[in-house]
Amino acid sequence: MAILDQGPLNYKENIPPIIVDNYGKWRYHENPKAGVLKHVSETGAELYSIRVGSPRLVSIDFVRDICKLADEYCDGYLRFTTRHNVEFLVSDAAKVEPLIAALGAIGLPVGGTGASISNIVHTQGWVHCHTPATDASGVVKAVMDDLYEYFVDMKLPAQLKMSLACCLNMCGAAHCSDLAIVGVHRTPPRIDHEKIRKGTEIPSLVACCPTGAIRPNPKEKSVLVNEAKCMYCGNCYTMNPGMEIIDPQNDGIAILVGGKVANARTNPMFSRMVIPFIENNPPRWPEVTSAVRNIVETWAANARKGEKMGEWIERIGWERFFTLTGIEFSDKLIDDFIFSRETFRTGAAFKYE
Amino acid sequence: MAILDQGPLNYKENIPPIIVDNYGKWRYHENPKAGVLKHVSETGAELYSIRVGSPRLVSIDFVRDICKLADEYCDGYLRFTTRHNVEFLVSDAAKVEPLIAALGAIGLPVGGTGASISNIVHTQGWVHCHTPATDASGVVKAVMDDLYEYFVDMKLPAQLKMSLACCLNMCGAAHCSDLAIVGVHRTPPRIDHEKIRKGTEIPSLVACCPTGAIRPNPKEKSVLVNEAKCMYCGNCYTMNPGMEIIDPQNDGIAILVGGKVANARTNPMFSRMVIPFIENNPPRWPEVTSAVRNIVETWAANARKGEKMGEWIERIGWERFFTLTGIEFSDKLIDDFIFSRETFRTGAAFKYE
Amino acid sequence: MADKKTPQLDELQNGQWPSFVTEIKRAAVKNEASKDLLHLLERSYEEKRGHWKHGGIVGVKGYGGGVIGRYTDLPEDYPHLQAFHTVRINAPSGWFYSTDSLRKICDIWEKRGSGLMNLHGATGDAILLGTTTDQLQPIFDELSEEGFDLGGSGSDLRSPSCCVGPARCEHACYDTLEACYNITNAFQDELHRPMWPYKSKIKFSGCANDCTASIARADCAVIGTWRDSLIIDPEEVKKYAASGMNIQHVCDGCPTDALKYNAETQELSVIAKDCSRCMHCINRMPKAITPGKDRGATILIGGKSTIVQSAFMGWVIVPFMKMEEADDFEEFKDVITRIWEWWDENGKTRERIGETIYRLGMSKFLTEVGLPAVPQMVYRPRANPYVFWPEDEIKK
Amino acid sequence: MADKKTPQLDELQNGQWPSFVTEIKRAAVKNEASKDLLHLLERSYEEKRGHWKHGGIVGVKGYGGGVIGRYTDLPEDYPHLQAFHTVRINAPSGWFYSTDSLRKICDIWEKRGSGLMNLHGATGDAILLGTTTDQLQPIFDELSEEGFDLGGSGSDLRSPSCCVGPARCEHACYDTLEACYNITNAFQDELHRPMWPYKSKIKFSGCANDCTASIARADCAVIGTWRDSLIIDPEEVKKYAASGMNIQHVCDGCPTDALKYNAETQELSVIAKDCSRCMHCINRMPKAITPGKDRGATILIGGKSTIVQSAFMGWVIVPFMKMEEADDFEEFKDVITRIWEWWDENGKTRERIGETIYRLGMSKFLTEVGLPAVPQMVYRPRANPYVFWPEDEIKK
Ligand code: SRM
Ligand code: SRM
Ligand code: SRM
Ligand code: SRM
Ligand code: SF4
Ligand code: SF4
Ligand code: SF4
Ligand code: SF4
Ligand code: SF4
Ligand code: SF4
Ligand code: SF4
Ligand code: SF4
């Protein structure tokens, strides 16, 4: 029988000796090369963290492989980052290059630090979720293959943090990322009255719609949807399987850019939509990868050093962003929900292009 | 019988010869002293505009007085500004000082140009409107008497544009002024069912409430107000005399600051509430005049040259504004209406004082 | 109650700022209503409350607007204020008057009203403050005789107004006075006969300094601008430099970093495509910098004050539009007409156009009014992914 | 369907980024469910749609959360995916693992599940991806045996997470790992037994760089900061200068203009009361600049993603709070408990705390939770005058 409420493992028993000894004593760090962080302690101790790209969806074999390396090079400890990269914690400088070589041997990339693109925070997609408008792991693989050079090198103006969410629930931080890839549905739910009648709390189903598009349908003991009001968020489907939202022909991907969460220099910002829809084109989503590359490289070519995507766009103005990237602007990009007012240009000063 | 739809007087028959001759040809202007603008034309012509403070609520005698001066010094023409000042248009430099003297003789102040406080855009108040929470002309007179020195001189960091509105209808530009004085009610409407029953369209009365505080009251063939939801905007009273909103004991004044409409340097901004309530204390509203003076002089002492009220506050931060002015912050100043989200500090970077 | 005292108001005759009380007293000498007003106001000062009732429907033949009805709630004590209506006169462009014009108003008003007025009302009308119902038509007839017409009130087009513009300002990018005059005349029916969901206002400012505060106070703001580059006069720049002006400081204020100054050569230059035409540098150096040659206006929609849904500032719906007397301001008239029609069809009662667009969405507004969506309309794109897809863009 | 081809997925084994397909295939060698998953996924790639149904209520004894039920809608074709549930393991603070700990998970998962997992889920749990209903309890029992516990799911406290903090970062202003561990243990009941209107998340970041993206992803964000002045080491400044760093450029990036550099004397100074602790200068010059000594955290409330009312970022509700192991993080636990109670009473079903506060107003929230209103909570005060006045502040 399981012990209830014993809580997570104690981190104290899962950190390497060098961290036990230097816990809270770190003085500064350097970033000698992509994927390698050197942290120096008051005690003089030096810790090398080797950041490794992971597919995040891994097999036990993968975990055992990295454990093996951690035993060999890191006194039997490792960690994962908030972006699902693996970090090997090396206390002996001499072991850094050999570890990197060993990682290369099993095909694991080292990078993602500093002014680079790190791993993409992502979600389940077709692998495990019931509401996705696109896949997660596949799109991430395609995009990271394409932008690989920016993971293993630090040649960008600043860090670039990407997220992918496969539906509007937006698991992950898509709403505040430098670049976000979001799965979107584009057709109203198809109602299965049968399913709905099966013990649905009609009032709460009606209430769950952000735009009030759902009304009760007493005749059917079910609901009906005012399609003119529906913007396909899928919240009703999350609530109730009878509101089928998946539509392979019309589901796809939207691109948002310019979000951030750190407070450095500028306040946190939301990501904002610049491409409302790109068709799902597995297995490599070429239209998505090239759209992403275009945005990343336009930013890289024009931003000042240290300027995050959103900071660059806010400086030059969104109108200029569309000119430089050649992305087409349309009414779909103009907010029409609750907080639209703050997005309207309530001023006469703007650039023509 | 009147001719219908003939439209306003033709401005062409109401502008002085010097303007006829130099219409659209003005090259530049100077502001030699407070209240005096010198506009120079391509043709070399020079026009001196003498700006004069007006009570706005005037008698025909006043109008005839200024007409007399206009005949003597300005070829029989004058104009009014968007802030209700009078402008004498002098084509002969030699007449400037004599005119200013003549104006002084009948007690009219010259000023309001450049880095000064101009006339206060204001409204009807107790003189003529049915919804006021305070008087208009009286408060304006008290404030302008107190700040007179800033009208006749240009010693401020930048122009200061004030507005007064005697109720939340906010006639005038109170919502976008450097400093706004706004009459506020503070108690829910007292319903006179008698009056309401007299041909009120109950549904539209119910619909007019911004916060949905009004519900039908079938028993009375009238309405009832959920007082917990009412924030006393008075819109229902504007719609229907049966919703008595005036409450002498609790009506008074709120102060908002930091608005602007020009696009120069920074985008237009809304004024924001810094004092939620000051009691009506006629005839001189001393608490209001000193609150206004405190804000104006704190700004004057701390802002950079050319920095409008709102630009200064946005640079130093609103938290610092409250520290410098010593004005007490309270939950009443935190937005709780539709667009509140954009006002919340969604970041961890701020000043402690 | 002629000899009743007015101590509170008397106090407001002290001080250096000209006193409205003095004005009321001047009128009171000749007019009983003004005398009553003085005492009613003193009473308001004592009781800290107004004494006016909602206005009933009063007006003049042929018009639905132009008059605000007013009645005191104390007719017994102040008989001459039993009815005390306001008449709004549509003021000339830029509020320019010949003394003749003003005197004509005074003469009519002396005969038929309180002798008190507001020059001007916040919307821009010349307001005749206080007369009786039976005087309304005669006043209108006589004003009309002299070439005046009434302004707007109620759910109609309110009297448009404009800045002084080319009449006395070097910054004017279009003829605000002519535009205001011409367009006001073109929409007389809309101005005099309320037929909309609510009021609608237009204000004309000649440049981005927006001296009419149009962005805050008008449903439709017409703000002058230019399409090419602002013009710099190198000689005048040198003169400013010689005069000791800190020109770099002017550049530092440029929001787009488009203005560059070379202190050695004393050369000032602008990156035209970066300039947002905010007017800052032109304001600081009017002799050396002027707007470009290809001039017109930016059209913004939605400005209004607080009631009901919150204050809205106008936002861009046409980045650049020519405003020429030559073509009779045709394009503007055409666009604003389509906008009013759309609002008339879609707006709820007492809903300003800005609130209607907010409720229904820019996308629907732009599509149905026939304006192309451009990034200049927004500070930034939507943060939410709640995009609506029309039938015809969806695979069946 | 062992030998059915998977051409589309095979393509995703090419390229330099490590492939999740390869991982699924590795698992498929040992596990039938993983093999079915491979083919189901290939089918999804062909049909461009997922094949999973809503999860029914499955779980383990004593808990309401920790498991996400999943069933394919094609059980006939993929029998081993008829049930394919997720088990969420609450990961250790900072995602630090001894290889022993990880191997224990692998051993259990090899025996009782697909052998596939997410390290980690976006909330921070170690996700065991895919097992059958009957295995859930045994898995939990064995994990528990080895000292692991489940994470949150449903309308409960989701597994809190934290940045690497003092374990490997010089910027940490409080002990994020201990805070996360201690507080997670203090709220085990809230974490394992859904009883709220909706989910609630906490994330701990040691400084304003917010490496856990807490402001965007947590209902409650705990972001390290300090109350005194940041500390500048003059010697290290000179070394940076010697190294050719453009220190003025660092000052130019300071949002509050609080950082001043004197190039002659090579002296760097800060106006402490102006500094907003944004971390910019410290990030650029970690050897020379460090956070102050009086350290703690800023507490923000309301972060969440898009559904339903729009995405919210957390906003400040406590500008500075001490976060000390010494006092067992008492103040934080006290405040968050009061907040949850308030939300529990006032929140609607599926309404995140941020949406509840937005609907009811900060004033009500602050008053009832007992937090003082301070200007640090807002970027700017309200623009509308719609203030609510409580009975007791009104004259009767
Ligand atoms: C390892 C990790 C924390 C963890 O507990 O896992 C981490 C670690 C560090 N972060 Fe971070 N950050 C980590 C996620 C983040 C995130 C969140 C995210 O990625 O989703 C952010 C917010 C991003 C945003 O705002 O959009 C983040 C914003 C920063 C910043 C601010 C950058 C800026 O200028 O805005 C710094 C400062 C800097 O880089 O100079 C920083 C600095 C650092 C430092 C240098 C702190 C230190 O002295 O050790 C660490 C190495 C940075 C590097 O990668 O070069 N870290 N950092 C996370 C690594 C994720 C990954 O695998 O890539
Ligand atoms: C006369 C008037 C227009 C009219 O048709 O009546 C006018 C006239 C001029 N304005 Fe204005 N402005 C007038 C109302 C405004 C308003 C609206 C208002 O006051 O409600 C504004 C917007 C204020 C705001 O943003 O809050 C306004 C914002 C400006 C600005 C922008 C100032 C800034 O830096 O933000 C300038 C440029 C400047 O002053 O350098 C300007 C500049 C000017 C110039 C210098 C234009 C020119 O070259 O002739 C005129 C003399 C300015 C002065 O007073 O020193 N005018 N000006 C208005 C005088 C009102 C009054 O009696 O005080
Ligand atoms: C006379 C004037 C104030 C003044 O002393 O100057 C005025 C007076 C009234 N306004 Fe106003 N408004 C006046 C300019 C404004 C302005 C400023 C402007 O037009 O530039 C505004 C703000 C801009 C705007 O339109 O939003 C303004 C926003 C309102 C509102 C709120 C409208 C809204 O959508 O928020 C109301 C309420 C209503 O319409 O019922 C209102 C209603 C009123 C009423 C008719 C009160 C009522 O509900 O019956 C007032 C009649 C007072 C009286 O007895 O004379 N008045 N009103 C101004 C018109 C004179 C003129 O024609 O020149
Ligand atoms: C597994 C995970 C994605 C991943 O692959 O990493 C995930 C998966 C799901 N999320 Fe999530 N969410 C996950 C992190 C997030 C995050 C990110 C975070 O926590 O930092 C968010 C955004 C932040 C937030 O909480 O708002 C997130 C916002 C949502 C929402 C929208 C909530 C909202 O208020 O906007 C839903 C919808 C719902 O709750 O019904 C949702 C619902 C779901 C459900 C349960 C779908 C559903 O409605 O039943 C998904 C189950 C998928 C599956 O079958 O396994 N998930 N979800 C993440 C949890 C793993 C873990 O415990 O570590
Ligand atoms: S984003 Fe949507 S589809 Fe993707 S895992 Fe989250 S809930 Fe499922
Ligand atoms: S998809 Fe979203 S908008 Fe459409 S009906 Fe369902 S809940 Fe409403
Ligand atoms: S602000 Fe209110 S009280 Fe004052 S004039 Fe306008 S409507 Fe009347
Ligand atoms: S005063 Fe305003 S909020 Fe109160 S009931 Fe009337 S309309 Fe509603
Ligand atoms: S708006 Fe521009 S053009 Fe009109 S008066 Fe003001 S500065 Fe001159
Ligand atoms: S007009 Fe404004 S934006 Fe253009 S150059 Fe001058 S200051 Fe810069
Ligand atoms: S949030 Fe701050 S303390 Fe935590 S890892 Fe990032 S930089 Fe270090
Ligand atoms: S922490 Fe940020 S605000 Fe403070 S001095 Fe450094 S850069 Fe400036």
Side-chain angles (χ1 to χ4, degrees), chain B residues 11 61 135 141 235 237, chain C residues 17 30 45 54 178 350:
Chain B
Y11 67 95
D61 301 4
D135 188 35
K141 164 72 171 152
N235 194 42
Y237 181 61
Chain C
W17 190 252
K30 308 175 185 166
Y45 271 58
H54 280 60
E178 181 58 28
R350 280 178 63 79

Side-chain angles (χ1 to χ4, degrees), chain D residues 20 32 206 300 342 391:
Chain D
F20 69 102
E32 287 304 312
L300 301 90
W342 181 85
E391 281 281 325

Side-chain angles (χ1 to χ4, degrees), chain C residues 220-234:
Chain C
C220 178
V222 183
I223 299 180
T225 192
W226 60 95
R227 213 163 17 182
D228 49 352
S229 171
L230 52 72
I231 297 158
I232 298 172
D233 178 336

Side-chain angles (χ1 to χ4, degrees), chain B residues 3 5 11 14 23 26 29 59 61 64-65 71 87 124 128 130 135 141 145 235 237 284, chain C residues 11-12 14 17 23 26 30 45 54 63 70 84 99 101 103 110 167-168 170 175 178 192 350:
Chain B
I3 310 140
D5 301 332
Y11 67 95
N14 287 271
Y23 196 86
W26 302 107
H29 77 278
S59 67
D61 301 4
R64 284 165 177 160
D65 289 347
D71 289 339
E87 278 181 348
Q124 295 295 323
H128 201 266
H130 64 283
D135 188 35
K141 164 72 171 152
D145 276 343
N235 194 42
Y237 181 61
R284 288 229 164 248
Chain C
E11 162 57 29
L12 286 177
N14 305 327
W17 190 252
E23 294 304 315
R26 289 172 86 177
K30 308 175 185 166
Y45 271 58
H54 280 60
Y63 287 1
R70 270 294 164 255
F84 197 67
T99 50
S101 310
R103 286 203 180 87
E110 176 160 25
R168 202 209 48 205
E170 68 270 27
D175 188 340
E178 181 58 28
H192 290 133
R350 280 178 63 79

Side-chain angles (χ1 to χ4, degrees), chain A residues 189 208-211 213-214 225 230-236 245:
Chain A
C208 87
C209 177
T211 58
I214 305 180
V225 169
C230 172
M231 42 62 187
Y232 340 110
C233 70
N235 194 42
C236 55
I245 193 78

Side-chain angles (χ1 to χ4, degrees), chain A residues 35 50-58 62 66 80-81 83-88 103 106-113 117-120 122 144 148 151-152, chain D residues 16-19 23 119:
Chain A
I50 314 303
R51 185 173 299 167
V52 174
S54 154
R56 193 186 80 121
L57 169 52
V58 297
F62 175 96
I66 58 176
F80 297 83
T81 72
R83 289 202 154 254
H84 319 307
N85 287 312
V86 184
E87 279 181 348
F88 290 89
L103 286 161
I106 57 171
L108 294 181
V110 171
T113 61
I117 294 180
S118 186
N119 207 343
I120 301 178
H122 61 280
M144 288 309 284
Y148 187 80
F151 178 84
V152 297
Chain D
Q16 288 169 288
W17 190 253
S19 172
E23 294 305 316
L119 291 173

